[in-house]
C-alpha cells in the first residue's frame, strides 16, 4: 500500500494543514516509509503465539470485597474545627 501526493494533499486539506509542493512530497515519502514498515509485520510468523493482554504478566493481590466505614472516622474528624456525635458541625446556611 502506498499514498501519492494527491492523497497527502487531500488529507492535509481535511486536517486544515497547508503544504507546499516540496513539503507534500516529503510527507508522502515519510508516510510510504511508515506503511512499508507496517507491511513488514505481515511477514512475521506468529502461528501458535497467544495474543498478549499486557506486556507485563503480573498477578495483582486481591482483597476481600467488603463494605466498611474505613475505620478512620476519628482520624477524619480530628481535622474538623467542630464536631458533634461523630459528624462535622457546620454553621446553618439555610433559613
Amino acid at each position: 500500500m502506498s499514498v501519492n501526493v494527491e492523497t497527502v494533499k487531500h488529507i492535509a486539506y481535511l486536517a486544515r494543514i497547508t503544504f507546499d509542493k516540496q513539503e507534500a512530497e516529503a510527507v508522502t515519502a515519510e508516510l510510504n516509509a511508515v506503511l512499508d514498515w507496517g507491511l513488514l509485520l505481515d511477514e512475521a510468523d506468529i502461528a501458535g503465539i497467544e495474543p498478549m493482554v499486557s506486556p507485563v504478566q503480573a498477578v495483582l493481590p486481591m482483597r476481600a470485597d467488603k463494605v466498611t466505614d474505613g475505620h478512620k472516622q476519628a482520624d477524619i474528624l480530628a481535622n474538623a474545627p467542630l464536631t458533634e456525635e461523630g459528624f462535622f458541625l457546620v454553621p446553618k446556611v439555610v433559613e
Side-chain angles (χ1 to χ4, degrees):
M1 172 182 230
S2 65
V3 296
N4 56 20
V5 175
E6 281 72 35
T7 305
V8 169
K9 286 182 180 179
H10 180 69
I11 294 170
Y13 170 76
L14 294 174
R16 307 293 191 260
I17 300 172
T18 305
F19 289 138
D20 61 20
K21 184 177 180 180
Q22 197 173 28
E23 290 173 327
E25 291 173 356
V27 170
T28 302
E30 287 180 30
L31 285 175
N32 283 325
V34 170
L35 292 172
D36 290 341
W37 181 80
L39 291 176
L40 290 175
L41 295 176
D42 288 337
E43 297 174 9
D45 182 20
I46 58 169
I49 298 175
E50 293 289 323
M52 292 187 339
V53 176
S54 171
V56 177
Q57 296 297 328
V59 179
L60 299 176
M62 301 294 283
R63 62 170 173 78
D65 192 14
K66 328 184 265 196
V67 177
T68 66
D69 64 357
H71 308 293
K72 299 210 180 272
Q73 182 181 18
D75 295 337
I76 294 168
L77 291 176
N79 294 322
L82 297 171
T83 62
E84 186 175 297
E85 297 179 13
F87 295 97
F88 292 104
L89 189 60
V90 296
K92 186 175 180 179
V93 292
V94 178
E95 295 292 328

